[in-house]
Amino acid sequence: MSSLPASAMFKVHRRQPELLTPAKPTPHEFKPLSDIDDQESLRFHIPLLQVYRHHPSMQMKDPVKIIREALAKALVFYYPFAGRLREGHNRKLLVECTAEGILFIEADADVTLEQSGDALEPPFPCLEELLFDVPGSSEILNCPLLLVQVTRFKCGGFALALRVNHTVSDAPGFVQFMSGVAEMARGKQAPSVLPVWERHVLNARSPPRVTCIHREYDEVEDNKSTCSARIPFPLHDIVDKSFFIELSSLSTLRRFAPPHLQECSNFQILTACLWKCRTIALQPNPKQEMRMICLNNARRKFNPSILPEGYYGNGFVLSTTVATAEEITQNPIGFALKLVRKAATGMSREYLQSVADLMVIKGRPQMHEEGSYVVSDVRHAGFGEVDFGWGKAVYGGPVRAIPIIASFLVPFENKKGEKGIVIPICLPSQAMERFAKELNNLLEGIQLIHGHMSRSSHIISSL
């Protein structure tokens, strides 16, 4: 494991933001989101970053011009992205397809990619340079659904930074959109996978009825508060840091899996370890309930599939497991692993439907955040595969953790050529120090059981 340090910042010269509209006329209509899309927990913008090196075959090509034109062409097919969100009865969200466009920014950096150093590695201290927050653009309703900034570097490489309204797409859905843009940048006239709206497939039943237990939506006093309003730490003390775990190191973590859980996935064992390290780091009341929340995607979960090919909305639900802080910290990793495995594999059609029904019955509630931790696995979403003509991305995917609440697992290759997983973490500064220490102990094969250090004797195969 290694944390990724920040280097000196660099400056970016930006032109005035512009509204980029579809290249051809598109329908003016209202498109309701699904009852999974429009829950309170997804009403935020999420930043993404794609970094590309210079490619000899693109020597005379301008990435700004190519991507701007490709986006305009792609918006003819994905025209809801050029619209604006409205809110109807019972807080129901819908897109008014107005063709007003997305925000686009052209920019130039004063350095090469190599000179940027660690500033172009997670947690990206340069993000504000690469993704300008256009004043008045970051509200959920009545604002552009997508903000794009393309920044050229002196070496011929470039960064494509995006900010997308999460209610409209999840990671696989947005990668589908970006892949369509990339295909058109490479000369195609239409995306190979045509977009499908059909958000009704994830709507509540009539009448709605909650038939499963959904601890992730346990009621709180004010379920419309923002995440930051309920963080029990001073915001000035919150720090971003990223941890790189080599693929070879996963075998060390797997040693903590007891014999009856040897079939666990890399996601499950890594998530169990993160949950334990984070709980120890935060030092909560021993009796406080801690929630581990997994994202279960329905795209390939069922046969036949619930979602049609080309669906680009949110196709996942949250699955939660709960234990006290004392249980997590005082038991071996196998305790947390068993709970994580159950949450990660427990989604059924009825569970999915029950979530949509709960959204309607309870007015699209906020996820319960106190004591909660979300781990989102985007290793297989395909961000890094998106090719605008310059080859695969050096980095592709989310750039930062959501403060206190959520982390991402992102595929990453460091400068030594070592492949692994980068994990952005956001915690109070002292908790971050404790987290790093605990995670390092686990990667050295040491775990804390009932207050004592112990080395695991369970060894199973790695990847």
Side-chain angles (χ1 to χ4, degrees), residues 120-133:
L120 281 176
E121 290 185 351
F124 296 99
C126 60
L127 183 62
E128 284 69 26
E129 292 290 319
L130 298 176
L131 187 61
F132 177 61
D133 182 12

Side-chain angles (χ1 to χ4, degrees), residues 71-86:
L71 278 166
K73 293 176 182 177
L75 287 174
V76 175
F77 298 91
Y78 287 89
Y79 62 89
F81 271 123
R84 300 293 183 266
L85 268 190
R86 316 296 189 205

Side-chain angles (χ1 to χ4, degrees), residues 107-375:
D108 289 280
D110 61 2
V111 296
T112 65
L113 286 176
E114 290 72 20
Q115 290 170 337
S116 69
D118 298 323
L120 281 176
E121 290 185 351
F124 296 99
C126 60
L127 183 62
E128 284 69 26
E129 292 290 319
L130 298 176
L131 187 61
F132 177 61
D133 182 12
V134 179
S137 70
S138 57
E139 298 298 321
I140 298 302
L141 302 178
N142 310 315
C143 280
L145 298 174
L146 183 59
L147 167 66
V148 178
Q149 179 176 324
V150 182
T151 303
R152 307 179 191 91
F153 285 79
K154 286 187 172 181
C155 56
F158 67 94
L160 170 64
L162 311 104
R163 190 188 69 196
V164 60
N165 189 315
H166 204 334
T167 62
V168 181
S169 281
D170 61 7
F174 195 67
V175 168
Q176 177 187 304
F177 166 70
M178 286 204 302
S179 298
V181 175
E183 287 179 319
M184 303 186 91
R186 300 196 311 269
K188 289 194 174 183
Q189 298 304 306
S192 58
V193 177
L194 293 175
V196 171
W197 189 259
E198 294 191 22
R199 305 296 171 103
H200 64 275
V201 299
L202 291 181
N203 276 353
R205 293 171 284 209
S206 182
R209 55 190 186 276
V210 178
T211 55
C212 300
I213 297 173
H214 303 286
R215 294 297 308 275
E216 60 275 15
Y217 299 108
D218 283 352
E219 292 186 11
V220 292
E221 290 183 6
D222 178 8
N223 67 12
K224 297 179 184 178
S225 301
T226 61
C227 285
S228 59
R230 291 202 300 279
I231 294 173
F233 307 98
L235 288 178
H236 65 80
D237 186 46
I238 303 297
V239 296
D240 284 292
K241 199 169 184 179
S242 290
F243 296 87
F244 176 69
I245 298 180
E246 297 176 41
L247 294 182
S248 58
S249 296
L250 291 174
S251 60
T252 302
L253 297 183
R254 281 182 162 277
R255 296 176 185 176
F256 297 117
H260 66 286
L261 294 175
Q262 290 188 4
E263 298 302 317
C264 68
S265 67
N266 285 325
F267 167 79
Q268 292 162 10
I269 185 62
L270 182 53
T271 299
C273 292
L274 293 174
W275 191 21
K276 179 162 184 170
C277 292
R278 179 182 177 276
T279 303
I280 293 172
L282 288 174
Q283 297 182 337
N285 184 304
K287 301 303 180 184
Q288 180 176 334
E289 287 188 332
M290 308 298 289
R291 289 165 175 77
M292 168 50 67
I293 302 176
C294 300
L295 276 60
N296 274 321
N297 202 296
R299 280 177 167 80
R300 295 180 177 85
K301 182 76 174 181
F302 306 108
N303 189 16
S305 176
I306 292 177
L307 304 180
E309 184 180 10
Y311 188 90
Y312 62 103
N314 289 284
F316 68 89
V317 293
L318 307 178
S319 298
T320 302
T321 188
V322 182
T324 67
E326 185 176 45
E327 289 174 323
I328 299 166
T329 58
Q330 296 302 307
N331 279 297
I333 293 294
F335 174 84
L337 176 59
K338 180 181 178 180
L339 296 177
V340 168
R341 184 172 173 80
K342 183 177 180 181
T345 59
M347 183 176 69
S348 64
R349 286 176 181 264
E350 184 59 32
Y351 186 91
L352 181 65
Q353 187 64 68
S354 181
V355 172
D357 292 356
L358 180 145
M359 290 298 130
V360 171
I361 291 172
K362 293 194 173 184
R364 314 184 195 285
Q366 170 73 36
M367 178 193 81
H368 186 107
E369 292 173 359
E370 183 181 0
S372 295
Y373 183 41
V374 181
V375 176

